[in-house]
Short mmCIF file of all heavy atoms in Angstrom, two decimals:
data_model
loop_
_atom_site.label_atom_id
_atom_site.label_comp_id
_atom_site.label_asym_id
_atom_site.label_seq_id
_atom_site.Cartn_x
_atom_site.Cartn_y
_atom_site.Cartn_z
N VAL K 267 -37.24 -7.89 23.42
CA VAL K 267 -38.62 -8.01 22.93
C VAL K 267 -38.82 -7.34 21.58
O VAL K 267 -39.92 -7.37 21.03
CB VAL K 267 -39.63 -7.43 23.95
CG1 VAL K 267 -39.65 -8.30 25.21
CG2 VAL K 267 -39.31 -5.99 24.30
N GLY K 268 -37.78 -6.74 21.01
CA GLY K 268 -37.86 -6.35 19.61
C GLY K 268 -37.88 -4.87 19.29
O GLY K 268 -37.93 -4.49 18.13
N ASP K 296 -2.52 -14.75 27.28
CA ASP K 296 -2.04 -15.15 25.96
C ASP K 296 -2.86 -14.45 24.87
O ASP K 296 -4.06 -14.23 25.02
CB ASP K 296 -2.21 -16.67 25.82
CG ASP K 296 -1.94 -17.15 24.41
OD1 ASP K 296 -0.76 -17.27 24.05
OD2 ASP K 296 -2.92 -17.37 23.67
N GLU K 298 -3.99 -15.43 21.90
CA GLU K 298 -5.12 -16.14 21.29
C GLU K 298 -6.25 -16.35 22.28
O GLU K 298 -7.43 -16.37 21.90
CB GLU K 298 -4.66 -17.46 20.68
CG GLU K 298 -3.68 -17.27 19.53
CD GLU K 298 -4.24 -16.42 18.39
OE1 GLU K 298 -5.38 -16.68 17.97
OE2 GLU K 298 -3.54 -15.48 17.95
N VAL K 299 -5.92 -16.50 23.54
CA VAL K 299 -6.96 -16.57 24.56
C VAL K 299 -7.70 -15.24 24.62
O VAL K 299 -8.94 -15.19 24.67
CB VAL K 299 -6.33 -16.92 25.93
CG1 VAL K 299 -7.31 -16.67 27.06
CG2 VAL K 299 -5.86 -18.38 25.92
N LEU K 302 -9.94 -14.95 21.54
CA LEU K 302 -11.11 -15.83 21.63
C LEU K 302 -12.14 -15.23 22.59
O LEU K 302 -13.34 -15.21 22.30
CB LEU K 302 -10.66 -17.22 22.11
CG LEU K 302 -11.71 -18.31 22.21
CD1 LEU K 302 -12.49 -18.48 20.91
CD2 LEU K 302 -11.05 -19.65 22.58
N LYS K 303 -11.67 -14.72 23.70
CA LYS K 303 -12.58 -14.04 24.63
C LYS K 303 -13.28 -12.86 23.94
O LYS K 303 -14.49 -12.67 24.09
CB LYS K 303 -11.81 -13.52 25.85
CG LYS K 303 -11.46 -14.58 26.89
CD LYS K 303 -10.87 -13.89 28.13
CE LYS K 303 -11.93 -13.10 28.85
NZ LYS K 303 -11.42 -11.98 29.62
N GLU K 305 -13.92 -12.42 20.84
CA GLU K 305 -14.89 -12.84 19.83
C GLU K 305 -16.16 -13.40 20.45
O GLU K 305 -17.24 -13.29 19.88
CB GLU K 305 -14.26 -13.87 18.89
CG GLU K 305 -13.18 -13.26 18.01
CD GLU K 305 -12.71 -14.20 16.93
OE1 GLU K 305 -13.55 -14.85 16.28
OE2 GLU K 305 -11.49 -14.31 16.73
N LEU K 306 -16.02 -14.02 21.61
CA LEU K 306 -17.20 -14.61 22.25
C LEU K 306 -17.93 -13.61 23.15
O LEU K 306 -19.08 -13.84 23.53
CB LEU K 306 -16.80 -15.84 23.06
CG LEU K 306 -16.40 -17.02 22.20
CD1 LEU K 306 -15.81 -18.13 23.06
CD2 LEU K 306 -17.61 -17.55 21.42
N ARG K 309 -21.57 -12.37 22.37
CA ARG K 309 -22.57 -13.41 22.57
C ARG K 309 -22.87 -13.61 24.06
O ARG K 309 -24.02 -13.80 24.46
CB ARG K 309 -22.04 -14.71 21.97
CG ARG K 309 -22.85 -15.93 22.25
CD ARG K 309 -22.13 -17.15 21.72
NE ARG K 309 -22.02 -17.09 20.29
CZ ARG K 309 -22.66 -17.93 19.46
NH1 ARG K 309 -23.42 -18.88 19.95
NH2 ARG K 309 -22.50 -17.83 18.17
N PRO K 322 -27.62 -23.31 30.48
CA PRO K 322 -26.39 -24.11 30.34
C PRO K 322 -25.37 -23.45 29.41
O PRO K 322 -24.18 -23.64 29.58
CB PRO K 322 -26.89 -25.44 29.77
CG PRO K 322 -28.24 -25.17 29.22
CD PRO K 322 -28.81 -24.02 29.99
N GLU K 323 -25.82 -22.67 28.44
CA GLU K 323 -24.87 -22.06 27.52
C GLU K 323 -24.10 -20.93 28.20
O GLU K 323 -22.91 -20.73 27.95
CB GLU K 323 -25.54 -21.59 26.23
CG GLU K 323 -26.55 -20.48 26.35
CD GLU K 323 -27.97 -20.96 26.63
OE1 GLU K 323 -28.13 -22.07 27.18
OE2 GLU K 323 -28.93 -20.22 26.31
N ARG K 325 -23.44 -20.80 31.37
CA ARG K 325 -22.55 -21.51 32.28
C ARG K 325 -21.33 -22.08 31.57
O ARG K 325 -20.22 -22.05 32.08
CB ARG K 325 -23.38 -22.63 32.89
CG ARG K 325 -22.84 -23.17 34.15
CD ARG K 325 -23.91 -24.04 34.77
NE ARG K 325 -23.32 -25.32 35.11
CZ ARG K 325 -23.66 -26.01 36.19
NH1 ARG K 325 -24.59 -25.55 37.01
NH2 ARG K 325 -23.09 -27.15 36.45
N MET K 326 -21.56 -22.60 30.40
CA MET K 326 -20.48 -23.18 29.59
C MET K 326 -19.47 -22.09 29.20
O MET K 326 -18.26 -22.27 29.29
CB MET K 326 -21.14 -23.76 28.33
CG MET K 326 -20.26 -24.52 27.40
SD MET K 326 -21.38 -25.19 26.09
CE MET K 326 -20.18 -25.52 24.79
N LEU K 327 -19.98 -20.94 28.80
CA LEU K 327 -19.08 -19.84 28.48
C LEU K 327 -18.36 -19.35 29.73
O LEU K 327 -17.18 -19.02 29.71
CB LEU K 327 -19.86 -18.68 27.85
CG LEU K 327 -20.28 -18.89 26.40
CD1 LEU K 327 -21.27 -17.83 25.96
CD2 LEU K 327 -19.06 -18.90 25.48
N GLN K 329 -17.47 -20.98 32.32
CA GLN K 329 -16.39 -21.89 32.70
C GLN K 329 -15.12 -21.58 31.89
O GLN K 329 -14.01 -21.58 32.42
CB GLN K 329 -16.82 -23.33 32.43
CG GLN K 329 -16.61 -24.21 33.62
CD GLN K 329 -17.87 -24.96 33.99
OE1 GLN K 329 -18.91 -24.77 33.35
NE2 GLN K 329 -17.80 -25.78 35.02
N MET K 330 -15.32 -21.30 30.62
CA MET K 330 -14.19 -20.97 29.77
C MET K 330 -13.57 -19.64 30.19
O MET K 330 -12.35 -19.51 30.26
CB MET K 330 -14.68 -20.89 28.33
CG MET K 330 -13.58 -20.85 27.33
SD MET K 330 -14.24 -20.99 25.66
CE MET K 330 -15.00 -19.38 25.50
N GLU K 333 -11.73 -19.98 33.54
CA GLU K 333 -10.48 -20.70 33.32
C GLU K 333 -9.41 -19.75 32.76
O GLU K 333 -8.23 -19.85 33.12
CB GLU K 333 -10.73 -21.84 32.33
CG GLU K 333 -9.49 -22.47 31.73
CD GLU K 333 -8.63 -23.19 32.75
OE1 GLU K 333 -9.17 -23.51 33.84
OE2 GLU K 333 -7.44 -23.40 32.49
N LEU K 388 5.47 -17.94 4.30
CA LEU K 388 4.46 -19.02 4.35
C LEU K 388 3.06 -18.47 4.59
O LEU K 388 2.08 -18.98 4.06
CB LEU K 388 4.84 -20.08 5.37
CG LEU K 388 6.05 -20.93 4.98
CD1 LEU K 388 5.98 -22.29 5.68
CD2 LEU K 388 6.16 -21.14 3.48
N LEU K 391 1.83 -17.55 1.28
CA LEU K 391 1.85 -18.52 0.18
C LEU K 391 0.50 -18.66 -0.52
O LEU K 391 0.40 -18.59 -1.75
CB LEU K 391 2.33 -19.89 0.69
CG LEU K 391 2.49 -20.96 -0.38
CD1 LEU K 391 3.40 -20.53 -1.50
CD2 LEU K 391 2.97 -22.28 0.22
N ARG K 392 -0.58 -18.83 0.26
CA ARG K 392 -1.90 -19.00 -0.37
C ARG K 392 -2.28 -17.77 -1.19
O ARG K 392 -2.92 -17.88 -2.23
CB ARG K 392 -2.96 -19.31 0.68
CG ARG K 392 -3.21 -18.17 1.63
CD ARG K 392 -4.23 -18.48 2.71
NE ARG K 392 -4.24 -17.42 3.69
CZ ARG K 392 -5.10 -16.39 3.69
NH1 ARG K 392 -6.04 -16.30 2.78
NH2 ARG K 392 -5.01 -15.46 4.61
N ILE K 395 -0.15 -17.85 -4.43
CA ILE K 395 -0.66 -18.85 -5.39
C ILE K 395 -1.90 -18.31 -6.09
O ILE K 395 -2.03 -18.37 -7.30
CB ILE K 395 -0.97 -20.19 -4.67
CG1 ILE K 395 0.32 -20.84 -4.17
CG2 ILE K 395 -1.75 -21.12 -5.59
CD1 ILE K 395 0.11 -22.08 -3.30
N VAL R 267 0.74 -24.53 6.09
CA VAL R 267 1.86 -23.84 5.44
C VAL R 267 1.45 -23.14 4.15
O VAL R 267 2.28 -22.50 3.51
CB VAL R 267 3.04 -24.80 5.16
CG1 VAL R 267 3.67 -25.23 6.48
CG2 VAL R 267 2.59 -25.99 4.34
N GLY R 268 0.18 -23.26 3.75
CA GLY R 268 -0.30 -22.38 2.69
C GLY R 268 -0.66 -23.02 1.37
O GLY R 268 -1.11 -22.33 0.45
N ASP R 296 -28.56 -29.69 25.62
CA ASP R 296 -29.39 -28.51 25.42
C ASP R 296 -29.15 -27.94 24.02
O ASP R 296 -28.02 -27.97 23.52
CB ASP R 296 -29.01 -27.46 26.47
CG ASP R 296 -29.67 -26.13 26.21
OD1 ASP R 296 -30.85 -25.99 26.52
OD2 ASP R 296 -29.00 -25.23 25.65
N GLU R 298 -28.98 -24.82 22.83
CA GLU R 298 -28.04 -23.73 22.67
C GLU R 298 -26.60 -24.17 22.94
O GLU R 298 -25.66 -23.64 22.35
CB GLU R 298 -28.43 -22.54 23.54
CG GLU R 298 -29.78 -21.93 23.16
CD GLU R 298 -29.82 -21.45 21.71
OE1 GLU R 298 -28.87 -20.77 21.28
OE2 GLU R 298 -30.79 -21.79 20.99
N VAL R 299 -26.45 -25.11 23.83
CA VAL R 299 -25.12 -25.68 24.06
C VAL R 299 -24.65 -26.40 22.79
O VAL R 299 -23.51 -26.23 22.35
CB VAL R 299 -25.15 -26.64 25.27
CG1 VAL R 299 -23.88 -27.48 25.33
CG2 VAL R 299 -25.34 -25.85 26.57
N LEU R 302 -23.72 -23.76 20.19
CA LEU R 302 -22.46 -23.09 20.52
C LEU R 302 -21.29 -24.01 20.18
O LEU R 302 -20.28 -23.59 19.59
CB LEU R 302 -22.46 -22.71 22.00
CG LEU R 302 -21.26 -21.94 22.53
CD1 LEU R 302 -20.97 -20.68 21.72
CD2 LEU R 302 -21.48 -21.56 24.00
N LYS R 303 -21.41 -25.27 20.53
CA LYS R 303 -20.38 -26.24 20.16
C LYS R 303 -20.19 -26.29 18.64
O LYS R 303 -19.06 -26.31 18.14
CB LYS R 303 -20.75 -27.64 20.65
CG LYS R 303 -20.51 -27.89 22.14
CD LYS R 303 -20.75 -29.35 22.46
CE LYS R 303 -19.67 -30.20 21.83
NZ LYS R 303 -20.07 -31.57 21.54
N GLU R 305 -20.76 -24.01 16.46
CA GLU R 305 -20.15 -22.80 15.92
C GLU R 305 -18.66 -22.71 16.24
O GLU R 305 -17.89 -22.14 15.47
CB GLU R 305 -20.88 -21.56 16.45
CG GLU R 305 -22.29 -21.45 15.90
CD GLU R 305 -22.94 -20.12 16.23
OE1 GLU R 305 -22.28 -19.08 16.12
OE2 GLU R 305 -24.12 -20.14 16.63
N ARG R 309 -13.21 -23.85 14.53
CA ARG R 309 -12.03 -23.21 15.09
C ARG R 309 -11.20 -24.19 15.92
O ARG R 309 -9.97 -24.20 15.86
CB ARG R 309 -12.50 -22.05 15.99
CG ARG R 309 -11.44 -21.41 16.80
CD ARG R 309 -12.07 -20.38 17.73
NE ARG R 309 -12.67 -19.33 16.97
CZ ARG R 309 -12.22 -18.07 16.99
NH1 ARG R 309 -11.18 -17.74 17.73
NH2 ARG R 309 -12.81 -17.15 16.29
N PRO R 322 -2.84 -22.53 25.15
CA PRO R 322 -3.87 -22.16 26.13
C PRO R 322 -5.25 -22.02 25.49
O PRO R 322 -6.26 -22.25 26.15
CB PRO R 322 -3.37 -20.84 26.69
CG PRO R 322 -2.36 -20.33 25.73
CD PRO R 322 -1.78 -21.52 25.04
N GLU R 323 -5.31 -21.64 24.22
CA GLU R 323 -6.64 -21.47 23.61
C GLU R 323 -7.31 -22.82 23.34
O GLU R 323 -8.52 -22.94 23.49
CB GLU R 323 -6.55 -20.61 22.34
CG GLU R 323 -5.78 -21.19 21.17
CD GLU R 323 -4.29 -20.85 21.21
OE1 GLU R 323 -3.75 -20.57 22.31
OE2 GLU R 323 -3.64 -20.89 20.14
N ARG R 325 -6.82 -25.48 25.12
CA ARG R 325 -7.17 -25.93 26.46
C ARG R 325 -8.43 -25.26 26.97
O ARG R 325 -9.30 -25.89 27.59
CB ARG R 325 -5.99 -25.59 27.36
CG ARG R 325 -5.96 -26.33 28.63
CD ARG R 325 -4.61 -26.09 29.27
NE ARG R 325 -4.80 -25.71 30.65
CZ ARG R 325 -3.99 -26.09 31.63
NH1 ARG R 325 -2.93 -26.82 31.35
NH2 ARG R 325 -4.21 -25.72 32.85
N MET R 326 -8.55 -23.98 26.68
CA MET R 326 -9.72 -23.21 27.10
C MET R 326 -10.98 -23.74 26.40
O MET R 326 -12.03 -23.92 27.02
CB MET R 326 -9.45 -21.76 26.68
CG MET R 326 -10.45 -20.74 27.10
SD MET R 326 -9.76 -19.10 26.55
CE MET R 326 -11.27 -18.12 26.57
N LEU R 327 -10.86 -24.02 25.12
CA LEU R 327 -12.00 -24.59 24.40
C LEU R 327 -12.31 -26.00 24.92
O LEU R 327 -13.47 -26.38 25.06
CB LEU R 327 -11.72 -24.65 22.89
CG LEU R 327 -11.81 -23.31 22.18
CD1 LEU R 327 -11.25 -23.42 20.76
CD2 LEU R 327 -13.25 -22.82 22.12
N GLN R 329 -11.92 -27.20 27.86
CA GLN R 329 -12.63 -27.14 29.14
C GLN R 329 -14.13 -26.92 28.92
O GLN R 329 -14.97 -27.52 29.58
CB GLN R 329 -12.06 -25.98 29.97
CG GLN R 329 -11.69 -26.42 31.37
CD GLN R 329 -10.27 -26.04 31.70
OE1 GLN R 329 -9.55 -25.46 30.85
NE2 GLN R 329 -9.83 -26.35 32.90
N MET R 330 -14.44 -26.06 27.99
CA MET R 330 -15.83 -25.80 27.68
C MET R 330 -16.50 -27.03 27.07
O MET R 330 -17.62 -27.39 27.43
CB MET R 330 -15.90 -24.63 26.70
CG MET R 330 -17.26 -24.08 26.53
SD MET R 330 -17.23 -22.56 25.55
CE MET R 330 -16.88 -23.24 23.95
N GLU R 333 -16.96 -29.77 29.72
CA GLU R 333 -18.06 -29.40 30.61
C GLU R 333 -19.41 -29.72 29.97
O GLU R 333 -20.36 -30.15 30.63
CB GLU R 333 -17.97 -27.89 30.92
CG GLU R 333 -19.20 -27.27 31.52
CD GLU R 333 -19.52 -27.78 32.91
OE1 GLU R 333 -18.61 -28.33 33.55
OE2 GLU R 333 -20.68 -27.65 33.34
N LEU R 388 -43.40 -11.29 19.00
CA LEU R 388 -42.27 -10.51 19.52
C LEU R 388 -40.99 -10.79 18.73
O LEU R 388 -40.19 -9.88 18.50
CB LEU R 388 -42.07 -10.75 21.01
CG LEU R 388 -43.15 -10.13 21.89
CD1 LEU R 388 -42.61 -9.86 23.29
CD2 LEU R 388 -43.74 -8.85 21.31
N LEU R 391 -41.19 -8.53 15.85
CA LEU R 391 -41.42 -7.09 16.05
C LEU R 391 -40.40 -6.22 15.32
O LEU R 391 -40.75 -5.28 14.60
CB LEU R 391 -41.45 -6.76 17.55
CG LEU R 391 -41.77 -5.30 17.89
CD1 LEU R 391 -43.08 -4.85 17.29
CD2 LEU R 391 -41.76 -5.08 19.40
N ARG R 392 -39.11 -6.53 15.48
CA ARG R 392 -38.10 -5.69 14.82
C ARG R 392 -38.25 -5.73 13.30
O ARG R 392 -37.99 -4.74 12.62
CB ARG R 392 -36.69 -6.14 15.23
CG ARG R 392 -36.32 -7.50 14.74
CD ARG R 392 -34.94 -7.97 15.19
NE ARG R 392 -34.76 -9.36 14.89
CZ ARG R 392 -34.17 -9.84 13.78
NH1 ARG R 392 -33.65 -9.02 12.90
NH2 ARG R 392 -34.08 -11.13 13.57
N ILE R 395 -41.31 -3.53 12.44
CA ILE R 395 -41.00 -2.10 12.54
C ILE R 395 -40.20 -1.66 11.32
O ILE R 395 -40.50 -0.64 10.70
CB ILE R 395 -40.22 -1.81 13.85
CG1 ILE R 395 -41.12 -2.03 15.07
CG2 ILE R 395 -39.66 -0.39 13.83
CD1 ILE R 395 -40.40 -1.93 16.41
#
Side-chain angles (χ1 to χ4, degrees):
Chain K
V267 293
D296 171 78
E298 296 302 313
V299 166
L302 183 53
K303 282 188 69 206
E305 292 190 43
L306 289 171
R309 172 186 296 248
E323 65 272 25
R325 200 168 129 144
M326 185 176 160
L327 285 169
Q329 230 127 358
M330 193 172 72
E333 166 65 19
L388 290 205
L391 184 56
R392 66 182 171 96
I395 292 173
Chain R
V267 292
D296 171 78
E298 296 302 313
V299 167
L302 183 53
K303 283 187 69 206
E305 292 189 43
R309 171 185 296 246
E323 65 272 23
R325 199 169 131 143
M326 185 176 161
L327 285 169
Q329 231 127 358
M330 192 172 72
E333 165 66 19
L388 289 205
L391 184 56
R392 67 182 170 95
I395 292 173

